[in-house]
Amino acid sequence: MSIHVEQAIIHEISQDGEGQLACRLRPQPLLNGQAVEVMLEELHQTYSSKAGKGFGYFGVPEDDGDANPAFEEALTNYRSNEMGFVEFSSAAVKLLQQELAKYDFSQGGFLLLSCYTSITSDYLFVAMLNAKSSMTVLDDMELTQNNHLDLSNIQLAARIDLTEWQADETSRKYISFIRGRAGRKVADFFLDFMGCVEGVNLKAQNKSLMVAVEDFVASGELTKDERQQCRDKVYDYCTNQFDSGEDVQMKDLADELADDGMDSFYDFATGGEYELEEEFPADKSTLRQLKKFSGTGGGVTLSFDSGHLGERVIYDPISDTIMIKGVPANLKDQLDRRLKGGN
């Protein structure tokens, strides 16, 4: 196990026949320690591997200047031992019920709250889980239908780094959350019930880092191989940070590049117009552009390793054309067969 679960509980928000939401509260934490550990380990891994998460903090939104501090206050009381975990979780699910009551799209679900430790940080995991129907074969080979929690398809979840929250008052990224499929707006109510405001723009920070790297390699007297080596080094470092659940540290990244003789990257990237934070979460989908070029449009999809540009792949911006030398074997086979067919 990569985590140690301290407390976990599940409450239910359900809809009655008249469409009114009601809470069914569990009076004590979950007791089956092994089942809880297995469930939270799976959720921890699933959540950590989710790409494109948003990051925020407890605060006041800039658009309307109003925020509900009740969740933060309850969490503060729990962490200071003025409130028990069950009492805190009950207050949280009631806040969620009140928020959900403002909308007409929810039929409720199971609210899971768990405090656990991973590596050196304490976390509070908050997730809305749904039940999923499945079929089971009994011992007498008879079929029966039952419901189970859908742990692999979490869409409404947030994780609070309690250690960072209590250690750094200036942090704007101690709360991470899953973005909805159509953008953050899908999960607004889930963040609102916690009083969470988006802080660090993950995509913007990683895009700025990528631009800084490209400007850096273009400004120096580096060979083509050295430029690509720099891009690969940045991508590998950021990927390792993402996989280990750690933030990109600009000082550490600069030190990685300094080992290869590129010792001015830190001053270049942080002293210019890139507006990079000292540390921020990595976004592999954005930084992948350091390794690959890809694009889709007009029925054409093209992707290739950036190292091929200028060699196997020749781009002419004036004529708006790309020439590929050495067509991939499987594509060549498809094209040859189509040509033999007379088209």
Side-chain angles (χ1 to χ4, degrees):
M1 291 288 182
S2 64
I3 66 173
H4 171 68
V5 179
E6 296 178 2
Q7 299 272 21
I9 198 168
I10 291 178
H11 300 295
E12 183 181 12
I13 299 178
S14 58
Q15 193 176 58
D16 61 24
E18 298 180 355
Q20 299 298 312
L21 293 175
C23 295
R24 186 159 68 99
L25 303 178
R26 180 177 170 82
Q28 58 186 340
L30 297 173
L31 302 178
N32 189 335
Q34 183 177 1
V36 171
E37 291 276 355
V38 171
M39 178 183 68
L40 264 300
E41 176 73 22
E42 180 178 342
L43 287 171
H44 174 75
Q45 298 296 339
T46 299
Y47 182 86
S48 297
S49 64
K50 285 276 188 180
K53 288 191 287 288
F55 291 82
Y57 61 100
F58 295 126
V60 179
E62 294 181 357
D63 52 358
D64 57 19
D66 187 23
N68 184 357
F71 185 93
E72 182 185 11
E73 291 173 354
L75 181 57
T76 300
N77 290 334
Y78 165 62
R79 293 291 287 179
S80 61
N81 296 317
E82 297 178 18
M83 178 184 287
F85 180 73
V86 174
E87 185 182 359
F88 158 66
S89 67
S90 298
V93 74
K94 290 175 183 176
L95 288 171
L96 180 57
Q97 177 199 353
Q98 294 169 12
E99 192 64 36
L100 281 173
K102 301 176 184 178
Y103 304 88
D104 58 3
F105 57 76
S106 176
Q107 296 180 344
F110 297 94
L111 181 67
L112 166 71
L113 296 102
S114 177
C115 286
Y116 66 83
T117 301
S118 177
I119 310 178
T120 59
S121 293
D122 295 331
Y123 294 98
L124 172 66
F125 185 72
V126 185
M128 195 73 171
L129 304 175
N130 293 313
K132 184 178 181 181
S133 178
S134 65
M135 301 298 293
T136 300
V137 180
L138 301 177
D139 292 340
D140 60 358
M141 305 306 289
E142 183 62 73
L143 287 176
T144 184
Q145 184 173 340
N146 58 23
N147 292 326
H148 68 272
L149 293 175
D150 190 2
L151 302 182
S152 62
N153 187 33
I154 51 173
Q155 297 298 325
L156 293 173
R159 186 170 65 190
I160 303 171
D161 188 328
L162 300 172
T163 302
E164 182 175 344
W165 169 54
Q166 295 184 307
D168 185 1
E169 295 181 353
T170 64
S171 174
R172 295 294 181 265
K173 58 178 180 57
Y174 50 78
I175 303 177
S176 64
F177 57 89
I178 296 177
R179 290 183 180 276
R181 293 174 179 173
R184 201 207 116 176
K185 291 296 182 183
V186 175
D188 266 0
F189 77 90
F190 195 70
L191 299 183
D192 289 344
F193 108 87
M194 291 188 296
C196 174
V197 179
E198 187 165 10
V200 175
N201 189 321
L202 180 70
K203 291 283 186 182
Q205 285 289 297
N206 282 264
K207 184 64 179 292
S208 292
L209 174 60
M210 188 181 66
V211 172
V213 171
E214 292 297 341
D215 290 348
F216 177 72
V217 298
S219 66
E221 297 180 356
L222 303 176
T223 66
K224 180 182 178 181
D225 289 342
E226 289 172 335
R227 291 196 296 270
Q228 191 57 45
Q229 181 182 1
C230 178
R231 298 185 186 101
D232 292 345
K233 195 88 171 182
V234 172
Y235 179 79
D236 291 343
Y237 168 82
C238 293
T239 299
N240 289 335
Q241 294 298 101
F242 178 89
D243 292 340
S244 62
E246 300 292 331
D247 288 347
V248 172
Q249 305 281 343
M250 289 300 295
K251 278 284 191 183
D252 292 345
L253 175 56
D255 289 342
E256 292 275 337
L257 295 177
D259 292 340
D260 293 332
M262 292 170 276
D263 54 4
S264 60
F265 179 72
Y266 181 80
D267 291 337
F268 181 91
T270 59
E273 72 278 10
Y274 306 106
E275 298 182 352
L276 286 165
E277 302 280 348
E278 284 291 330
E279 57 182 78
F280 53 88
D283 180 53
K284 291 199 291 187
S285 63
T286 299
L287 294 172
R288 194 172 291 118
Q289 296 176 52
L290 292 170
K291 301 274 285 185
K292 282 183 174 292
F293 291 107
S294 62
T296 300
V300 175
T301 297
L302 187 62
S303 176
F304 58 91
D305 291 343
S306 59
H308 292 318
L309 185 63
E311 296 180 356
R312 284 186 62 189
V313 180
I314 309 299
Y315 170 53
D316 185 350
I318 297 177
S319 61
D320 193 27
T321 58
I322 287 180
M323 181 175 67
I324 301 175
K325 299 178 181 179
V327 179
N330 56 351
L331 176 58
K332 178 177 173 57
D333 180 61
Q334 297 174 59
L335 295 173
D336 288 344
R337 281 189 281 110
R338 179 60 61 90
L339 289 175
K340 288 179 182 179
N343 187 2

